[in-house]
Amino acid sequence: MLYAPHRLFVRKLTETRDERNRTVSVEENWTEVSPCRCDDNTTLRIKDDTGNEYVPYYHIVAPRSRLVSAGDWVRVCDGACIRGEGKVVKVMRTNYLDYMSIYV
């Protein structure tokens, strides 16, 4: 990518359960995925597999990776500031070019 001023992070939750399968504790870890570009989005409407329609707040373009999938919680940072954060609605990976588009 020619222009990637931000950093993309994905949240992974680790649950600890007891012998009765009850959640004892939940640990939150943020994993850095790659540099990215995060743009505001206000016009594009996206439909998911169930037919629900969304207007995502952010359009993120990053190098292609399998670490991010629909339903994950992502965060984009611009230095020490959080540029955008939210639940991934849709991930589109290109066939030929080595990047992906993420809608949050």
Side-chain angles (χ1 to χ4, degrees):
M1 289 184 48
L2 297 175
Y3 182 68
H6 308 116
R7 304 298 294 170
L8 177 64
F9 295 88
V10 64
R11 181 179 73 176
K12 298 296 180 186
L13 297 176
T14 306
E15 291 184 349
T16 306
R17 296 185 174 268
D18 64 3
E19 64 276 353
R20 295 185 182 182
N21 204 24
R22 294 179 296 198
T23 303
V24 176
S25 66
V26 177
E27 184 178 329
E28 177 182 77
N29 294 321
W30 288 94
T31 305
E32 184 174 345
V33 177
S34 63
C36 68
R37 182 186 83 228
C38 179
D39 300 318
D40 292 334
N41 182 42
T42 57
T43 58
L44 180 69
R45 294 184 181 276
I46 294 179
K47 283 190 178 180
D48 63 1
D49 296 336
T50 60
N52 295 330
E53 194 171 272
Y54 299 97
V55 179
Y57 290 114
Y58 303 107
H59 175 219
I60 302 166
V61 179
R64 188 172 25 189
S65 172
R66 293 286 174 192
L67 295 175
V68 180
S69 58
D72 286 346
W73 194 268
V74 295
R75 177 184 287 171
V76 175
C77 294
D78 184 9
C81 300
I82 296 175
R83 168 70 173 90
E85 183 175 9
K87 183 179 176 184
V88 175
V89 177
K90 188 171 192 172
V91 178
M92 296 188 309
R93 293 178 177 86
T94 58
N95 291 328
Y96 181 71
L97 301 174
D98 194 28
Y99 73 91
M100 63 183 175
S101 290
I102 303 167
Y103 292 94
V104 177

